[in-house]
Amino acid sequence: MTRAGITAARSSTALLAEIISQMDDDQWELPSACEGWRVIDVVAHLAALASEAVDPPPPDPSLPKNRERYHDLRVDERRGWSHAQVLDEWRRSTPRQLDLLEAAQEPPGAGEPVDVPGLGTYPRHLLANTMAFNVFCHLRNDMLAPDGPLPFTLPEPADALVSPAVDFMLAGLPQMQGPELTATVDRPLVLDLTGPGATTVTILPATEPDGQLTVAPGADATTQVHSTALDFIAWATTRKPWRDHCRITGDASTATPFLDCLNII
């Protein structure tokens, strides 16, 4: 199971709560590093996810199938809310979301597949890593300086915070972009991540016409992409250009189409 995921989710949420307690009304209105979202909109996004986790809405076929547009819609629904209303929703729903994710670590339901619209299918226990990734990424990349507008500092993230986020990203990598990303990989490619969250995996081409990429542990290819895991969280979500943060060894033409296309949500 991924108990590291729930621990990381709780830790990053506690850090976010600490930052929230230090903010004033003007800072909530500053543009975040997430294009089109103010700082308060980032928290509205996390609050919306938490509310849907604890009180799932009925299926609605009219909602956007693209996950990023879906998130924009939920944020837009809250743009008329006061700061206090957004924060109240986040404070009310987030603890319940964390408790549900912790309960999802227990058998028999922990391994049950769960479809996350627009993102793929994951074992239920891995949904904790989804939250660990979301809070970590939005807080450190979109809200806080140097990329975000807020002048607060946090301790350097250790492996316990970074690894669960990276684990979710690698689980989502074969699924989120489907054939679009699959088409960019025709030979095995190693992704070598160092520092906190370090891991090394090989991305294998699909073996059938309608198949997906496979992410396997270890280094089993001559073409390799080297990056820190912290930088991976930024460039693999297209927050930063991969060329500024990656070093390719071997055949660059094998890696470049994949890196140009990758966009983990």
Side-chain angles (χ1 to χ4, degrees):
M1 299 302 100
T2 51
R3 294 191 181 278
I6 188 63
T7 300
R10 288 191 181 280
S11 296
S12 284
T13 297
L15 291 171
L16 175 56
E18 181 181 323
I19 295 299
I20 286 173
S21 71
Q22 302 175 62
M23 292 181 59
D24 60 38
D25 279 346
D26 290 340
Q27 288 172 320
W28 285 118
E29 291 296 317
L30 294 172
S32 78
C34 189
E35 186 176 358
W37 287 3
R38 301 163 298 167
V39 172
I40 191 64
D41 296 327
V42 176
V43 178
H45 162 63
L46 297 174
L49 290 175
S51 291
E52 290 184 9
V54 301
D55 187 17
D60 183 349
S62 70
L63 293 173
K65 299 295 187 291
N66 179 286
R67 190 68 182 188
E68 289 180 304
R69 301 294 74 77
Y70 176 80
H71 291 327
D72 285 336
L73 173 68
R74 292 309 192 201
V75 167
D76 288 346
E77 290 173 346
R78 291 160 171 78
R79 284 189 184 272
W81 293 16
S82 68
H83 300 162
Q85 286 174 304
V86 172
L87 296 174
D88 180 64
E89 182 184 34
W90 181 78
R91 291 187 177 112
R92 184 178 64 252
S93 296
T94 297
R96 296 170 62 198
Q97 179 188 23
L98 287 164
D99 288 345
L100 285 172
L101 292 172
E102 183 147 12
Q105 305 304 306
E106 301 296 332
E112 177 182 293
V114 177
D115 179 56
V116 182
L119 296 183
T121 301
Y122 304 88
R124 187 173 296 280
H125 64 83
L126 197 68
L127 298 183
N129 293 58
T130 307
M131 184 179 183
F133 162 76
N134 269 325
V135 180
F136 182 96
C137 187
H138 285 303
L139 173 60
R140 293 181 181 264
N141 289 295
D142 298 332
M143 296 175 67
L144 297 182
D147 299 309
L150 301 181
F152 307 111
T153 58
L154 292 175
E156 287 297 312
D159 188 80
L161 285 182
V162 183
S163 286
V166 171
D167 286 346
F168 165 70
M169 294 172 74
L170 294 177
L173 186 153
Q175 306 184 67
M176 292 185 190
Q177 295 172 270
E180 177 190 17
L181 187 65
T182 299
T184 68
V185 180
D186 56 15
R187 283 175 286 179
L189 171 68
V190 169
L191 186 58
D192 178 41
L193 304 179
T194 58
T199 189
T200 301
V201 297
T202 301
I203 300 164
L204 300 168
T207 57
E208 299 179 4
D210 295 326
Q212 293 182 338
L213 301 175
T214 302
V215 178
D220 192 23
T222 56
T223 299
Q224 303 194 357
V225 178
H226 308 274
S227 167
T228 69
L230 278 173
D231 285 341
F232 173 69
I233 292 174
W235 63 256
T237 59
T238 70
R239 282 171 168 80
K240 294 184 178 180
W242 67 262
R243 287 175 173 82
D244 294 345
H245 301 282
C246 295
R247 178 175 60 89
I248 300 173
T249 56
D251 182 7
S253 67
T254 296
T256 299
F258 168 79
L259 295 171
D260 282 342
C261 183
L262 182 63
N263 181 18
I264 294 173
I265 301 168

